[in-house]
Amino acid sequence: MASKTVWIVGGLVVAIGVVAYVAFKPGPANTDAAGTIAEAKRARADGTNSFNPSPTASTTAEESAKGTDERAKQAELGKRTELGKAELGKAELGKAELGKAELGKAELGKAELGKAELGKAELGKAELGKAELGKAELGKAELGKAELGKAELGKAELGKHADLAK
């Protein structure tokens, strides 16, 4: 019974953890380029492309540097978000383990209480047994007195018969 209760409580804790994780999980960033479909920039042999017909070398290098900086910022933001989620998950797991420990203590307390009550019942039976044994011994003593009385009565009657015989 106790094992079944542990499984039920554990399942509830896991379900609550999953719901909390999904509820507090932020959506993807608006600037996140993952999964978007866009036209690719194609290089031209004459040094032009469809977006800028007469690019300069410095303009292309600046755009490349801007893209690299933006990707680095997004990567850093993603790492922080994932780290925060992991820490939240650890905290929820810690709460679940604490709940299990407290449940275990409660069950241990119930078991110890059950043992104490069983001990009281056994003690009660032993005391009852002693009382019944005492009654039996008392009965034997009274029976012994009655038999002793019969023997004395028999002696008295024997004495009367002896007196009559004289």
Side-chain angles (χ1 to χ4, degrees):
M1 183 67 181
S3 178
K4 197 181 262 186
T5 304
V6 170
W7 279 107
I8 290 170
V9 171
L12 287 174
V13 169
V14 169
I16 290 170
V18 168
V19 169
Y21 175 76
V22 171
F24 292 112
K25 181 180 176 184
N30 291 338
T31 59
D32 192 2
T36 60
I37 300 173
E39 184 179 342
K41 293 183 181 179
R42 294 193 173 89
R44 303 281 184 207
D46 61 356
T48 63
N49 64 31
S50 61
F51 296 106
N52 188 3
S54 59
T56 61
S58 62
T59 305
T60 305
E62 287 174 8
E63 288 176 2
S64 177
K66 282 182 185 177
T68 303
D69 288 343
E70 186 64 30
R71 280 189 226 109
K73 286 179 186 176
Q74 288 176 359
E76 182 64 28
L77 180 62
K79 286 179 187 175
R80 288 182 187 171
T81 303
E82 291 301 318
L83 181 60
K85 289 179 187 176
E87 289 174 353
L88 177 63
K90 286 180 184 177
E92 290 172 352
L93 180 59
K95 287 179 185 176
E97 289 173 351
L98 177 62
K100 287 180 183 177
E102 290 173 352
L103 180 63
K105 287 180 185 176
E107 290 175 349
L108 179 61
K110 287 180 184 177
E112 289 173 351
L113 179 61
K115 287 180 183 176
E117 290 174 350
L118 179 61
K120 287 180 184 176
E122 290 174 351
L123 179 61
K125 287 180 183 177
E127 290 173 352
L128 179 61
K130 286 181 184 177
E132 290 173 351
L133 180 61
K135 287 180 184 177
E137 289 174 351
L138 180 60
K140 286 181 184 178
E142 289 173 352
L143 180 61
K145 286 181 185 177
E147 289 174 354
L148 180 60
K150 285 181 183 178
E152 289 174 356
L153 181 61
K155 285 181 186 178
E157 287 177 359
L158 184 59
K160 284 182 188 178
H161 289 296
D163 287 339
L164 285 175
K166 286 183 187 182

